[in-house]
Amino acid sequence: RQDLDAFGAVKDGRHLVVSVSQSAGAFPIDVRRSGVDGLASAGHKWLGAGYGAGFVFIRSGLLRERPPRTIGWMSVENPFAFDNREYTLVRANRRTELGCPAFPAIFALGAAVDYALALGLEEIEARVLRLNTYLTDALERAGIPVLSPGGTHRSAETLCAVADPPRAAAFLRGLGIEVTTKPEGLRISTHYYNAEPDVDTCVAALRDYRLRFA
């Protein structure tokens, strides 16, 4: 939820390189508008593509200025010549890919991206923010402290304070609710495929946990 446009405006001669694993698939990202030079993301988080593949963006100017330090057999214009003595690197970023691709994971990532684009990135953003607001409001009504910021820094993740986070996570898991354990409490992530009844079930379980163990 950082303001990439603001970073791009003050980078001057420096390169702006960002990790968007906690944003891609939940919030729109415009690398050209923000002046991003390099960007990387995992596919198994908000894109929902499963494990094994992610993607990297590198600004075309950097590709021209900085030849790759290592190349693979598909990094050259005529790979099937199998000539290691004379070759011409392709201009596209695929010249940085080494070895044989992990095809199943790549196909899953492509399908996940297509699905998100079909739903609409702005629609996904609006949905996850609306659902997150619903969650934080419900937690506050239940008397469960919300540690995550709201406002312009609101995201699709909420950290709430609970006693003995590992025990709380195990309690929820026994009810079929998956959350992430953090030192301060539990991180609850809601995405476009969740619904308000999911949130109600989670908050009710947390309220029950506090009554039993807190």
Side-chain angles (χ1 to χ4, degrees), residues 112-195:
V113 170
D114 290 342
Y115 188 70
L117 292 175
L119 291 175
L121 300 183
E122 287 75 17
E123 288 78 5
I124 291 175
E125 178 184 32
R127 175 58 181 164
V128 298
L129 290 177
R130 185 164 60 249
L131 199 59
N132 181 266
T133 302
Y134 185 88
L135 169 63
T136 55
D137 289 348
L139 289 170
E140 290 171 352
R141 287 195 301 271
I144 301 171
V146 175
L147 305 179
S148 296
T152 58
H153 290 92
R154 180 181 295 278
S155 72
E157 299 177 354
T158 295
L159 180 63
C160 63
V162 298
D164 196 347
R167 187 179 191 180
F171 178 81
L172 294 183
R173 189 173 301 112
L175 299 174
I177 303 169
E178 292 291 340
V179 295
T180 302
T181 303
K182 295 295 181 182
E184 307 89 343
L186 299 178
R187 186 181 71 189
I188 305 170
S189 301
T190 48
H191 210 349
Y192 60 77
Y193 45 72
N194 291 116

Side-chain angles (χ1 to χ4, degrees), residues 61-74:
L62 284 180
L63 291 177
R64 291 190 296 269
E65 297 167 7
R66 299 173 181 269
R69 296 183 179 183
T70 57
I71 61 174
W73 74 287
M74 293 294 288

Side-chain angles (χ1 to χ4, degrees), residues 28-75:
I29 302 164
D30 191 328
V31 293
R32 291 182 175 84
R33 186 193 67 206
S34 300
V36 173
D37 298 289
L39 173 148
S41 176
H44 67 272
K45 291 183 178 284
W46 296 97
L47 285 167
Y51 292 101
F55 62 87
V56 169
F57 161 81
I58 302 175
R59 182 171 55 80
S60 58
L62 284 180
L63 291 177
R64 291 190 296 269
E65 297 167 7
R66 299 173 181 269
R69 296 183 179 183
T70 57
I71 61 174
W73 74 287
M74 293 294 288
S75 302

Side-chain angles (χ1 to χ4, degrees), residues 74-113:
M74 293 294 288
S75 302
V76 299
E77 287 188 354
N78 188 13
F80 294 99
F82 300 109
D83 188 351
N84 293 331
R85 294 163 298 184
E86 294 184 9
Y87 55 83
T88 302
L89 292 175
V90 296
R91 295 178 62 85
N93 194 33
R94 68 178 176 86
R95 69 186 187 178
T96 63
E97 297 177 359
L98 306 177
C100 293
F103 289 110
I106 290 173
F107 294 154
L109 178 59
V113 170

